[in-house]
Amino acid sequence: MQTKIVRLLGGALAAITLLGAFPGATLAQDKRQQTKNDWRNLAALAGGLTAFGLIKHDPTLSFVGAAGALYSVDRYEKDRKSQDKAARTRASLFSKTYFYRDGHRYERRLVTSKGHKYYRFKRVD
C-alpha cells in the first residue's frame, strides 16, 4: 500500500513538472504565476505525505515527504522573488517615455488591441 502511495505521489510530481515544461499560449507572467502555484501545491501535497508517514510510523514516507516539502517551499520562494524582480524591472522600463539601444531611439507608444490598452516601444529613427 505504501509503495502505491509513493508511486502515486511520484506520478503527481512528474505530471506537475511536465505541465510546467510545455509552453502554452499564455503570457510569460501567467506561466510564472502558474509555476509558482504548482510549487506551492506540491509543498502542501508533500506536507500531507509527511503527516501520513508520521501517523503510520513510517520513517521513509516521513523523510520523503519532508524533503519534498522543503524543496518545494524553496522553489516557491525563489519563483516568488523572481516574479517580484521581473515586475520591478518591467515597471522601471515602462516608466520611461524613451530609451536608446544600439544607437537607436525607442519611444513608448499607447496601443489599443481588442479593447485593451497597453504600452510598447517602437523604434524611431
Side-chain angles (χ1 to χ4, degrees), residues 25-76:
T26 61
L27 299 172
Q29 193 67 17
D30 292 340
K31 177 145 177 59
R32 185 182 301 260
Q33 181 68 35
Q34 182 60 43
T35 302
K36 188 177 76 165
N37 290 342
D38 287 344
W39 283 116
R40 183 194 63 214
N41 296 340
L42 193 57
L45 184 67
L49 179 63
T50 303
F52 181 75
L54 291 172
I55 290 170
K56 294 293 184 179
H57 303 290
D58 186 343
T60 304
L61 285 179
S62 299
F63 177 76
V64 169
L70 289 174
Y71 180 74
S72 298
V73 167
D74 181 60
R75 286 297 307 265
Y76 172 78

Side-chain angles (χ1 to χ4, degrees), residues 75-89:
R75 286 297 307 265
Y76 172 78
E77 282 298 312
K78 287 179 181 177
D79 284 354
R80 187 181 62 81
K81 290 178 182 177
S82 171
Q83 186 177 19
D84 291 343
K85 183 179 177 183
R88 285 192 304 271
T89 303

Side-chain angles (χ1 to χ4, degrees), residues 63-123:
F63 177 76
V64 169
L70 289 174
Y71 180 74
S72 298
V73 167
D74 181 60
R75 286 297 307 265
Y76 172 78
E77 282 298 312
K78 287 179 181 177
D79 284 354
R80 187 181 62 81
K81 290 178 182 177
S82 171
Q83 186 177 19
D84 291 343
K85 183 179 177 183
R88 285 192 304 271
T89 303
R90 187 173 49 257
S92 172
L93 176 66
F94 282 99
S95 68
K96 301 174 184 178
T97 56
Y98 67 92
F99 67 92
Y100 287 94
R101 181 171 179 189
D102 297 329
H104 300 286
R105 180 180 166 120
Y106 293 84
E107 292 183 356
R108 186 180 67 191
R109 302 288 168 101
L110 181 63
V111 178
T112 303
S113 175
K114 298 180 184 177
H116 296 285
K117 294 180 180 180
Y118 61 95
Y119 289 113
R120 78 173 189 196
F121 284 95
K122 182 170 182 169
R123 185 170 140 180

